[in-house]
Amino acid sequence: MSEVLSPARIALVGNPNSGKTALFNALTGSRQKVANYAGVTVERKEGSVVSPAGHALSILDLPGTYSLRARSPDEVVTRDAVLGRLAGEVPPEIVICVADATNLRLVLRLALELKQVGRPMVLALNMYDIAQRQGLRIDLEGLSREIGAPIVTTVATRKRGIEDLLSQVDALIAEGRLAGENTWREPTAAEIRQAHAEAQRLVRAYVRPPEHPDTWTGRIDSVLLHPIGGLVILLGLLFLMFQAVFTWATPAMDGIEAAFGALAVFVGDYIPNPLLHSLISDGLIAGVGSVLVFLPQILILFFFIIMLEDLGYMSRAAFLMDKIMGGAGLHGRAFIPLLSSFACAIPGIMSTRVIDNKRDRLTTILVAPLMTCSARIPVYTLIIGAFIPNTKVWGVFSLQGLVMFGLYAAGILSALAVSFVIRRIFWRSAVEPFLMELPTYKLPEPMNVLRNLGLRAKIFINRAGRIILPLMILIWVLSTFPYPPEGATAPAIDYSFAGIIGHAIQPLLAPIGFNWQMSIALVPGMAAREVAVATLGTVYAVGDAENNVGALATTLSGHWSLATGLSFLVWYVFAPQCAPTLGVVKRETNSWIWPTVMFAYMVTLAYAASFIVYHTAVALGAG
């Protein structure tokens, strides 16, 4: 028996929407680590598990692909990882090909290509419970014999078949067949058609049509994919999402605000030193608290996105938006990266790797930050709360929620307009047709939803600790020192470093109605958009230990005009107030040219839009 490396490396390969990541989670649980592949920006997920026979296994979750004939950056990584071409990566010793048991045609073509690579393979028929409910009959023995690989049925979301899958891996290790002859080569168009025909032959020979076909998917799609009715439903869902962000989150936000207020009072009672008291209360508590209070709103937004994605609706939404986006010069596959950018532009930009054409991908990258990410929610909520009354429209809808919806719509429309200009003026080329496999509808797994929400909460809280906390200490120092001279009549903060910096850059922003406090808030806000709220809280809260977001909104409404507040809102619709996003653009494009172009055009848009809004509002008497 040949010696087996410890741990043995197992690669999960499969089509998108096959449940591959769910299988990876079922196999590895919490024993996972995420990084990037050396030299590229594609995410690398690896986990560990011990097999029933006691073998240590290292499981690698590769990006979804339909073929080893790679066309996108994600598919290139999968192909090169399987073929052992990635620098610094050890080739996998066993490949687990993950298939959606209800849709075998495409994955069988991939499985035939994987067999040519010469590595031992196990075919995992995932979502087998759905296939059984549909009465789908698969001749597992015949199909296994035909493709020359063992077949295991799994239900990853319920951890069914996991032991059987690991036992098959054990059997391959015991046989010592960890490498064979690699006969795979780049197929020609004729060979691709031949492989496709072979996959169809296997399906006809070994898969009987379902006795209880999934007619519900067709019935639901007839409504949700209607060219008019489907768009109305999609807009209704988005509208509900933004209303919920304001109305559902209020009790939890009030509770968080009260907790930080009580903490500030507690600190005031036990820390008599004025300077230390100011640092902790006005710098740390007021600063971090003014950001964490928006966690409920961010989780509500993610709840909708996760539920719709798990349900299988996201690909339908992309299909509905394809014609609209194609008219603006965007590829249909751009919808999901842009929708992801509502949560954060960074994963949205990274997910553009699924777009094959380089120009289509670059166009999507350039407009993704115009989507209203969750980091803007604290800014929007603060300004809307300060200047927009909390009243009902037609007795049903929140006026504040309608304004929030308008800000999101402004981001979407501006992204379409910018992409139209890019593709019609600078890059005149046809947009490639949009082809996508629509998954069947599935009820979201509650544990999966909770796990993803917990992950998002952890990321946001870590962000508050890593980025916001140090910045708040810095802002407090800048806002406190140096002390005013004896007999000074102006407020103490005017003599501080923050005041000096703010007054220095304020003339540049005066034409759009910004005062010096707003000017200084933009500088640390480049690290993370939501820091602007904490900065305003720190600047306006110096000497006021009990300040909270509600009090800050009241303070702003007393110091700013409506025209100024609207100008600040519009600035945040367009401005590139996020240095990490610019860094990711540089990594994805491997050039400083495109982040520079992005920064320049977004600042120009922000300044021009704020100028127009401010002066229009002043002319209408809101100054």
Side-chain angles (χ1 to χ4, degrees):
M1 182 185 300
S2 59
E3 185 179 351
V4 179
L5 293 176
S6 182
R9 290 176 59 79
I10 316 298
L12 300 183
V13 184
N15 298 159
N17 301 311
S18 62
K20 180 172 54 61
T21 299
L23 185 61
F24 174 74
N25 292 335
L27 284 166
T28 62
S30 60
R31 301 173 300 279
Q32 303 177 8
K33 56 183 179 180
V34 179
N36 282 342
Y37 285 96
V40 295
T41 54
V42 176
E43 191 175 79
R44 182 184 188 281
K45 294 174 68 176
E46 187 171 3
S48 60
V49 65
V50 177
S51 71
H55 294 112
L57 307 177
S58 178
I59 312 293
L60 189 64
D61 183 17
L62 294 175
T65 184
Y66 290 104
S67 170
L68 294 183
R69 198 173 147 267
R71 300 183 62 193
S72 68
D74 272 5
E75 291 185 341
V76 167
V77 165
T78 297
R79 179 199 63 195
D80 290 349
V82 169
L83 297 178
R85 296 177 181 173
L86 281 182
E89 289 284 326
V90 179
E93 294 155 293
I94 296 173
V95 173
I96 296 178
C97 183
V98 185
D100 176 355
T102 66
N103 187 6
L104 292 179
R105 179 177 52 85
L106 289 176
V107 79
L108 285 179
R109 189 181 72 183
L110 175 61
L112 293 173
E113 288 185 333
L114 290 172
K115 283 298 294 181
Q116 289 182 312
V117 175
R119 306 193 192 286
M121 184 181 75
V122 180
L123 179 60
L125 299 188
N126 199 26
M127 297 184 259
Y128 198 67
D129 55 337
I130 299 176
Q132 287 179 312
R133 283 201 301 271
Q134 294 179 6
L136 194 67
R137 303 295 177 87
I138 304 173
D139 181 355
L140 299 178
E141 290 186 5
L143 186 59
S144 173
R145 185 172 56 252
E146 188 87 44
I147 65 173
I151 296 178
V152 176
T153 62
T154 62
V155 182
T157 55
R158 292 176 172 81
K159 297 189 176 181
R160 295 179 188 167
I162 302 301
E163 290 292 314
D164 293 340
L165 180 59
L166 292 175
S167 295
Q168 286 292 348
V169 171
D170 278 334
L172 292 175
I173 293 175
E175 293 173 14
R177 296 191 298 109
L178 298 188
E181 183 183 358
N182 183 353
T183 60
W184 187 87
R185 58 182 176 80
E186 190 75 31
T188 64
E191 288 171 328
I192 292 171
R193 287 193 295 270
Q194 183 180 353
H196 188 71
E198 177 64 10
Q200 288 182 316
R201 183 191 70 79
L202 292 175
V203 170
R204 287 194 299 268
Y206 299 105
V207 182
R208 290 174 55 185
E211 297 174 0
H212 313 291
D214 180 19
T215 57
W216 277 108
T217 293
R219 292 175 187 173
I220 296 172
D221 279 347
S222 67
V223 176
L224 296 184
L225 297 182
H226 190 275
I228 298 175
L231 281 174
V232 171
I233 293 171
L234 174 59
L235 291 175
L237 285 172
L238 293 175
F239 183 79
L240 173 65
M241 185 189 305
F242 304 136
Q243 286 285 312
V245 163
F246 257 95
T247 56
W248 295 2
T250 300
M253 292 177 69
D254 291 343
I256 294 173
E257 209 167 70
F260 275 94
L263 183 59
V265 172
F266 176 83
V267 168
D269 291 340
Y270 288 92
I271 302 180
N273 182 281
L275 189 63
L276 184 59
H277 175 274
S278 175
L279 168 63
I280 295 177
S281 294
D282 302 326
L284 303 185
I285 295 176
V288 176
S290 64
V291 174
L292 288 182
V293 72
F294 299 103
L295 179 61
Q297 290 183 318
I298 290 168
L299 290 182
I300 288 173
L301 178 66
F302 274 109
F303 172 77
F304 275 94
I305 291 175
I306 292 167
M307 288 288 289
L308 293 175
E309 191 167 8
D310 286 0
L311 187 64
Y313 181 73
M314 285 302 194
S315 55
R316 270 85 181 172
F319 176 83
L320 284 169
M321 293 297 293
D322 177 49
K323 187 170 292 187
I324 296 173
M325 297 177 71
L330 284 169
H331 192 276
R333 285 187 182 272
F335 177 78
I336 292 177
L338 293 182
L339 192 64
S340 300
S341 297
F342 280 127
C344 178
I346 291 174
I349 289 169
M350 293 173 68
S351 63
T352 60
R353 302 167 192 148
V354 300
I355 302 174
D356 301 335
N357 183 275
K358 183 178 180 179
R359 288 187 171 182
D360 289 336
R361 186 161 62 248
L362 190 53
T363 303
T364 307
I365 287 173
L366 289 174
V367 301
L370 291 171
M371 299 293 104
T372 299
C373 67
S374 58
R376 287 181 173 104
I377 290 178
V379 178
Y380 287 178
T381 303
L382 174 66
I383 306 304
I384 289 173
F387 295 99
I388 306 300
N390 186 18
T391 58
K392 296 290 185 182
V393 178
W394 301 314
V396 178
F397 303 116
S398 163
L399 178 60
Q400 294 180 336
L402 287 173
V403 173
M404 177 74 88
F405 180 76
L407 293 171
Y408 274 77
I412 296 169
L413 293 175
S414 63
L416 294 176
V418 170
S419 64
F420 180 86
V421 171
I422 292 173
R423 294 307 300 263
R424 294 299 188 274
I425 297 178
F426 298 106
W427 294 336
R428 294 191 177 185
S429 60
V431 178
E432 293 186 358
F434 177 38
L435 301 175
M436 173 178 272
E437 191 86 8
L438 295 180
T440 57
Y441 290 103
K442 296 181 287 291
L443 287 177
E445 280 289 321
M447 288 307 299
N448 182 59
V449 174
L450 290 175
R451 187 185 299 112
N452 281 317
L453 282 177
L455 177 62
R456 295 302 173 183
K458 181 180 177 181
I459 291 172
F460 183 75
I461 293 170
N462 285 344
R463 184 183 178 92
R466 275 188 309 107
I467 299 176
I468 297 171
L469 188 62
L471 282 173
M472 287 307 97
I473 295 174
L474 175 61
I475 293 299
W476 176 84
V477 171
L478 293 175
S479 302
T480 304
F481 302 104
Y483 289 125
E486 291 277 342
T489 56
I493 197 169
D494 276 14
Y495 300 95
S496 68
F497 293 120
I500 294 169
I501 296 171
H503 286 299
I505 64 176
Q506 194 269 339
L508 296 174
L509 301 174
I512 60 175
F514 284 21
N515 59 26
W516 74 265
Q517 291 96 337
M518 299 164 71
S519 303
I520 192 61
L522 297 182
V523 178
M526 280 301 300
R529 289 183 174 96
E530 63 270 36
V531 176
V533 173
T535 303
L536 289 171
T538 301
V539 170
Y540 280 107
V542 171
D544 178 11
E546 295 185 15
N547 186 48
N548 55 36
V549 173
L552 179 58
T554 303
T555 300
L556 296 186
S557 64
H559 286 78
W560 300 2
S561 67
L562 175 59
T564 295
L566 293 177
S567 177
F568 197 69
L569 273 181
V570 171
W571 175 272
Y572 267 86
V573 171
F574 300 105
Q577 289 289 129
C578 184
T581 296
L582 297 173
V584 167
V585 173
K586 191 270 175 186
R587 285 190 346 192
E588 291 291 325
T589 61
N590 198 29
S591 169
W592 278 112
I593 294 175
W594 298 113
T596 303
V597 169
M598 174 184 286
F599 183 84
Y601 98 76
M602 292 184 72
V603 167
T604 303
L605 271 181
Y607 199 96
S610 293
F611 184 90
I612 293 169
V613 167
Y614 176 70
H615 288 281
T616 301
V618 170
L620 294 174

